[in-house]
Amino acid sequence: MRPLISLVGLALAAALSAAPRAALAGDVRALSHDAALQLAAERNLALLVSGLERARLDAVAASARRPYLPELSLETAGRNVAGAKQGAVDATARLSYASPYGQSLSATATTTAGVAGNPESQSTLQIELSQALLRNGYQPGGAADLRQADLDAKIAREQFRAQLNGLLSAVDRAYWSLAFARADVEVKRRSLDRARAQFDETRENIKRGLLAPGEIYVVEENVVNFDDAVSRAEENLALAQSALRRLLALPLDTTLEASSSIDASAAPEPTEADSIAVAQARSP
C-alpha cells in the first residue's frame, strides 16, 4: 500500500502546487482610454458583422450600375470570292449604351476591304437612339434601382456609425467607471488603514490608563464601517471590470487596469455651440 499512498501524495502535492499557478494565469492588462476604445471596435462581433453588411451593400450599389456601362465589341471576318482568288475582309465595330433614364444608344460601323486585287470596298455607319416614355422613363421610374441601391448603402453606413457610436459610448462609461472604482478602493483602503491604526493607538492608550475603556467601541465601530466600505468598493470594482471585459470581449480571467488619469482638469471643454454643431453634423 505504500507505493499507492506515495502516488496519491505526489498527485495531491502536484494539484496543490498547480492551484496557485492557475490563479496567477489570468492576464493583467493595463489599457489607456484610447486603447480600450480601439480594442472594443476591433473585437466586437456585432460591429464587425455590421461593417461587412455595409461593404456588401456598397458592392450591391456598384453592381447596380453595371448594366449602364458602355459596351464595345469588334468583329472581323475574311471571305473568298467564289470562282476567283480574290477575297475580302469584313470588320464590324459596335458601341452600345443604355442609361438609367431610358435612353438607349447604339452605333454600328461596318467596313469591307477587298484583297488580292478585289476592288470591293464599302463602309457603313448606323446610329440608333431611343427614349423610353413610360417604363424606365423620366417620370417616375428613372434610375429608381440606382437610388434604391444607394439608399440601402447609405442606411447601412449610418447604422454602422450609430452602432459604433453606441459601442464607444458604452466603453467610455465602463472605462471611467473602472478608473473611479479603482480610485475609490484605494481611498477606502487608506481610510481602513487609518481606522485600524487609530484602533491600535486607542487600545494602547486604554492600557496605559490615558483613555476610558468605553472609547474602544467608537474606534472599533469605525474599523467595522470602513471594512464594510472596502468590501463594497471592491465589489463595485469587480463589477466595473466585468462590464468593461464584456465590452472588450476579453477572457473572464483577464484583470483590467485603467492607465489613463481620471484628472479631467486639463481636458479642453468645447462650447455648447460647437457641441450642438458636431452632434447635428455627425449624428446618424
Side-chain angles (χ1 to χ4, degrees), residues 80-87 115-117:
N80 293 325
V81 178
K85 296 182 179 180
Q86 299 174 339
V115 296

Side-chain angles (χ1 to χ4, degrees), residues 4-14:
L4 179 60
I5 294 175
S6 61
L7 290 177
V8 173
L10 290 176
L12 181 59

Side-chain angles (χ1 to χ4, degrees), residues 113-146:
V115 296
N118 185 5
E120 183 180 1
S121 178
Q122 182 181 3
S123 298
T124 59
L125 176 63
Q126 182 180 3
I127 299 177
E128 296 181 2
L129 177 63
S130 63
Q131 170 65 57
L133 298 179
L134 296 177
R135 183 173 62 88
N136 294 331
Y138 282 102
Q139 297 293 337
D145 54 345
L146 297 184

Side-chain angles (χ1 to χ4, degrees), residues 185 187-205 215-216 218-231 234:
V185 168
V187 171
K188 294 297 193 299
R189 285 176 178 173
R190 288 197 298 266
S191 299
L192 177 60
D193 292 340
R194 287 195 295 267
R196 286 173 175 171
Q198 186 179 9
F199 176 82
D200 295 337
E201 182 181 355
T202 302
R203 183 172 55 184
E204 186 65 25
N205 290 333
E215 296 292 336
I216 194 65
V218 177
V219 292
E220 186 178 13
E221 184 180 2
N222 290 336
V223 172
V224 173
N225 292 336
F226 282 117
D227 186 66
D228 182 63
V230 168
S231 299
E234 290 176 345

Side-chain angles (χ1 to χ4, degrees), residues 18-234:
R21 290 197 297 269
L24 296 176
D27 186 19
V28 178
R29 303 190 61 173
L31 295 175
S32 65
H33 181 257
D34 293 341
L37 295 179
Q38 181 178 357
L39 187 63
E42 292 174 351
R43 297 178 62 89
N44 187 270
L45 295 181
L47 187 65
L48 294 177
V49 172
S50 180
L52 293 176
E53 177 66 13
R54 182 190 64 171
R56 185 187 71 83
L57 291 177
D58 286 339
V60 170
S63 299
R65 287 170 168 76
R66 190 172 301 167
Y68 305 111
L69 297 176
E71 181 178 357
L72 176 64
S73 63
L74 179 63
E75 298 179 2
T76 59
R79 55 185 172 84
N80 293 325
V81 178
K85 296 182 179 180
Q86 299 174 339
V89 176
D90 299 326
T92 302
R94 183 176 295 106
L95 176 65
S96 59
Y97 170 71
S99 78
Y101 296 98
Q103 296 95 352
S104 178
L105 174 64
S106 176
T108 304
T110 304
T111 181
T112 301
V115 296
N118 185 5
E120 183 180 1
S121 178
Q122 182 181 3
S123 298
T124 59
L125 176 63
Q126 182 180 3
I127 299 177
E128 296 181 2
L129 177 63
S130 63
Q131 170 65 57
L133 298 179
L134 296 177
R135 183 173 62 88
N136 294 331
Y138 282 102
Q139 297 293 337
D145 54 345
L146 297 184
R147 290 197 299 271
Q148 181 65 42
D150 291 340
L151 286 175
D152 290 340
K154 186 176 181 180
I155 291 173
R157 286 194 297 269
E158 297 305 323
Q159 288 177 343
F160 176 80
R161 287 179 56 193
Q163 192 170 357
L164 176 61
N165 290 340
L167 174 64
L168 296 181
S169 178
V171 173
D172 178 78
R173 290 193 300 269
Y175 183 89
W176 293 120
S177 296
L178 174 61
F180 282 103
R182 170 61 68 185
D184 186 55
V185 168
E186 295 176 357
V187 171
K188 294 297 193 299
R189 285 176 178 173
R190 288 197 298 266
S191 299
L192 177 60
D193 292 340
R194 287 195 295 267
R196 286 173 175 171
Q198 186 179 9
F199 176 82
D200 295 337
E201 182 181 355
T202 302
R203 183 172 55 184
E204 186 65 25
N205 290 333
I206 292 175
K207 289 181 180 180
R208 295 177 181 178
L210 300 178
L211 293 176
E215 296 292 336
I216 194 65
Y217 298 110
V218 177
V219 292
E220 186 178 13
E221 184 180 2
N222 290 336
V223 172
V224 173
N225 292 336
F226 282 117
D227 186 66
D228 182 63
V230 168
S231 299
R232 291 197 302 268
E234 290 176 345

